[in-house]
Amino acid sequence: MIIYPAIDLIGGAVVRLHKGDFDQLTQYGTDPVAVAKTYADAGATWLHLVDLDGAKNPQNRQIDLIANIISSTGLLVQTGGGIRSADDVATLLDAGAARVVIGSLAVRDPDLLKQLLYSHGPEKICLAADVILQNDTFYIAVSGWQEASDLSLFDFLNMFAPAGLRHVLCTDIDRDGTLRGFNRELYTSVKQEFSYLQLQASGGASCLEDLKHLDADGVIIGKALYEGRFSVAEALEATAC
């Protein structure tokens, strides 16, 4: 299992949102390069980096900071936030990103996502499947996580299988930033249906037990690290077997 420590950026600072709500923001430092270096020093090989300024307005994308984090740490970085075009993807890959995370764009323009998978290859693209549970079915969230679309999670993933989709980051919005633990049933159901996917679990990590025996190939960890619930080194050790 790959441990992806997470850094969310607003105005050059390290922050975390509660369930994606910009009005429920906590700042955890003003030096994201230093934070990323501590993760690298602890043994992490990957970093999950979200540009929340870029998510709100692509014109404010913190591309120089992202490039600095990548070049200064030696970490493989997957990054996203407000990806609205093929040029946005190319810009991040040119800055050194190992993988670009794409969410809303895939809902609005699935054909473009397929084209990106073909042109850049499946290792360079990660599909963000942010889900809301309604009537016992998980649906893809839209409008900044505020409402569910009419597109189910499984239909969403099936759309991109023919294009070679390999990496999926699935977030249970109801658990994001809550420290309530992962939705294990969600990830088990995805892996049973799509065993070929490299699945990243996101939303709710609170303790080392949450990482164990999880049906996922990677886990995104943010708030639990910032609040000292456990360290990157401890997470790596707990998932080494």
Side-chain angles (χ1 to χ4, degrees), residues 88-108:
D88 289 342
V89 175
T91 297
L92 287 168
L93 291 175
D94 288 345
R99 193 181 296 142
V100 178
V101 181
I102 300 172
S104 297
L105 177 63
V107 179
R108 293 195 309 269

Side-chain angles (χ1 to χ4, degrees), residues 157-158 160-162 164-166 191 193-198 217:
L157 298 180
N158 274 318
F160 304 108
L165 178 67
R166 178 166 172 77
K191 285 299 286 187
E193 187 74 16
F194 303 93
S195 60
Y196 60 88
L197 289 177
Q198 292 292 298
D217 304 284

Side-chain angles (χ1 to χ4, degrees), residues 50-74:
V50 182
D51 182 355
L52 293 171
D53 286 344
K56 273 194 167 183
N57 182 355
Q59 300 303 314
N60 294 332
R61 195 176 305 285
Q62 301 170 85
I63 193 68
D64 290 340
L65 176 56
I66 293 169
N68 187 21
I69 291 171
I70 293 168
S71 63
S72 298
T73 63

Side-chain angles (χ1 to χ4, degrees), residues 19-179:
K19 297 185 179 181
D21 186 350
F22 280 82
D23 292 329
Q24 298 187 65
L25 178 153
T26 304
Q27 182 173 308
Y28 289 99
T30 57
D31 191 346
V33 175
V35 173
K37 283 181 176 178
T38 66
Y39 295 155
D41 291 343
T45 56
W46 279 88
L47 178 70
H48 180 69
L49 188 60
V50 182
D51 182 355
L52 293 171
D53 286 344
K56 273 194 167 183
N57 182 355
Q59 300 303 314
N60 294 332
R61 195 176 305 285
Q62 301 170 85
I63 193 68
D64 290 340
L65 176 56
I66 293 169
N68 187 21
I69 291 171
I70 293 168
S71 63
S72 298
T73 63
L75 290 166
L76 295 167
V77 172
Q78 70 171 22
T79 185
I83 306 300
R84 290 173 170 80
S85 68
D87 285 344
D88 289 342
V89 175
T91 297
L92 287 168
L93 291 175
D94 288 345
R99 193 181 296 142
V100 178
V101 181
I102 300 172
S104 297
L105 177 63
V107 179
R108 293 195 309 269
D109 193 346
D111 287 339
L112 178 55
L113 192 281
K114 294 173 187 175
Q115 292 172 18
L116 291 167
L117 284 165
Y118 288 132
S119 59
H120 294 292
E123 291 301 324
K124 295 293 186 181
I125 303 296
C126 179
L127 179 65
D130 304 325
V131 297
I132 297 175
L133 183 65
Q134 291 192 346
N135 300 320
D136 297 323
T137 300
F138 280 101
Y139 290 92
I140 300 300
V142 294
S143 302
W145 286 8
Q146 298 308 303
E147 61 183 91
S149 69
D150 58 2
L151 184 61
S152 75
L153 170 60
F154 281 16
D155 287 345
F156 188 52
L157 298 180
N158 274 318
M159 288 170 59
F160 304 108
L165 178 67
R166 178 166 172 77
H167 294 279
V168 172
L169 193 171
C170 187
T171 302
D172 182 347
I173 292 168
D174 283 337
R175 298 191 180 222
D176 186 70
T178 66
L179 298 172

